[in-house]
């Protein structure tokens, strides 16, 4: 099926499927299929994800030949043949997936429970986890970097190779036991600079905005959100 993102209209594709030379698009609820619109292709055989609550982040990560989706304390999977499994792999009971990233042969999932976090490392073919790292604070965000991963927890930026961890920076004006908030996909590495969309709690002196951390010089640059004049 095809879904129009702009006006929420759904269309069906004829039995010829995507391999057919000519496709017949039929409106399900009165929409008009036209060029210039934004569409998403939907597999009607997919099952629903676990019922959501405010803690669930539906982050999606491409790994090996599949796409993995955070689904509460499970990973859902869309495989290379577009098959879908809502509960493909359990993270750990009641540990809710927050962030996910891949790097080469390794997939890492960050999950939280009771204000603490864990990093779960996995490779295709393993039944269990390759390694699990316990964190004192909740995981916020994870991104691949070189052969390693960078992640944010507590008041700092950390680096891990999947076994050992090292704190490489502390955010300015954050108390020792305070934490910052970053969206699960709230950071990216560009030209060896870690760009972070960061939110501070009300008890910190730090300012909300974009922080650029130079991974070579180990220095921060702060860019405040610019107010709109429109």
């Amino acid at each position: 099926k095809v879904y129009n993102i702009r006006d929420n209209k759904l269309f069906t594709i004829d039995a010829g499927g995507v391999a057919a030379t000519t496709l017949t698009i039929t409106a399900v609820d009165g929409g008009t299929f036209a060029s210039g619109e934004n569409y998403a292709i939907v597999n009607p055989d997919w099952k629903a994800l676990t019922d959501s609550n405010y803690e669930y982040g539906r982050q999606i990560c491409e790994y090996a030949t599949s796409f993995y989706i955070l689904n509460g304390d499970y990973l859902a999977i869309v495989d290379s043949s577009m098959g879908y499994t809502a509960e493909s792999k359990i993270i750990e009971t009641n540990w809710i997936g927050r962030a996910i990233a891949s790097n080469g042969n390794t997939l890492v999932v960050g999950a939280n429970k009771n204000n603490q976090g864990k990093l779960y490392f996995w490779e295709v073919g393993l039944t269990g986890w390759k390694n699990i790292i316990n964190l004192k604070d909740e995981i916020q965000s994870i991104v691949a970097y070189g052969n390693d991963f960078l992640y944010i927890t507590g008041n700092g930026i950390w680096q891990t190779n999947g076994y050992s961890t090292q704190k490489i920076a502390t955010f300015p004006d954050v108390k020792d036991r305070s934490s910052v908030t970053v969206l699960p996909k709230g950071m990216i590495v560009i030209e060896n600079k870690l760009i972070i969309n960061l939110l501070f709690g009300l008890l910190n002196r730090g300012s909300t905005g974009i922080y650029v951390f130079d991974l070579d010089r180990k220095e921060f640059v702060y860019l405040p959100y610019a107010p709109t004049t429109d």
Side-chain angles (χ1 to χ4, degrees), residues 61-147:
C61 179
E62 183 177 6
Y63 172 59
T65 59
S66 303
F67 290 88
Y68 291 83
I69 308 168
L70 296 180
N71 184 28
D73 54 5
Y74 279 88
L75 287 179
I77 184 174
V78 180
D79 62 30
S80 57
S81 62
M82 297 303 288
Y84 174 76
T85 305
E87 296 181 347
S88 172
K89 181 176 180 62
I90 189 166
I91 301 172
E92 186 173 348
T93 302
N94 294 327
W95 283 83
I96 305 303
R98 162 79 179 182
I100 185 171
S102 65
N103 194 354
N105 295 326
T106 303
L107 180 77
V108 59
V109 175
N112 297 324
K113 176 185 176 183
N114 297 334
N115 299 317
Q116 295 180 321
K118 289 185 181 182
L119 296 175
Y120 300 80
F121 297 87
W122 185 61
E123 290 185 4
V124 170
L126 294 180
T127 301
W129 296 104
K130 182 179 179 181
N131 192 35
I132 300 174
I133 295 177
N134 295 292
L135 309 175
K136 293 181 179 179
D137 298 289
E138 291 188 344
I139 187 71
Q140 296 292 319
S141 185
I142 309 170
V143 68
Y145 174 62
N147 296 320

Side-chain angles (χ1 to χ4, degrees), residues 158-219:
W158 296 70
Q159 184 170 349
T160 180
N161 59 6
Y163 295 97
S164 61
T165 64
Q166 177 184 8
K167 190 175 187 179
I168 61 174
T170 299
F171 288 103
D173 295 319
V174 184
K175 298 177 181 178
D176 287 343
R177 290 303 301 156
S178 296
S179 297
V180 299
T181 300
V182 179
L183 294 176
K185 295 292 186 182
M187 62 180 183
I188 187 172
V189 176
I190 299 177
E191 296 183 356
N192 224 39
K193 294 178 175 59
L194 182 64
I195 302 172
I196 310 159
N197 184 3
L198 190 144
L199 304 174
F200 275 99
L202 296 177
L203 298 180
N204 289 303
R205 290 170 44 194
S207 300
T208 294
I210 303 298
Y211 282 71
V212 180
F213 181 68
D214 190 313
L215 291 160
D216 292 322
R217 301 173 63 180
K218 301 296 188 291
E219 295 177 349

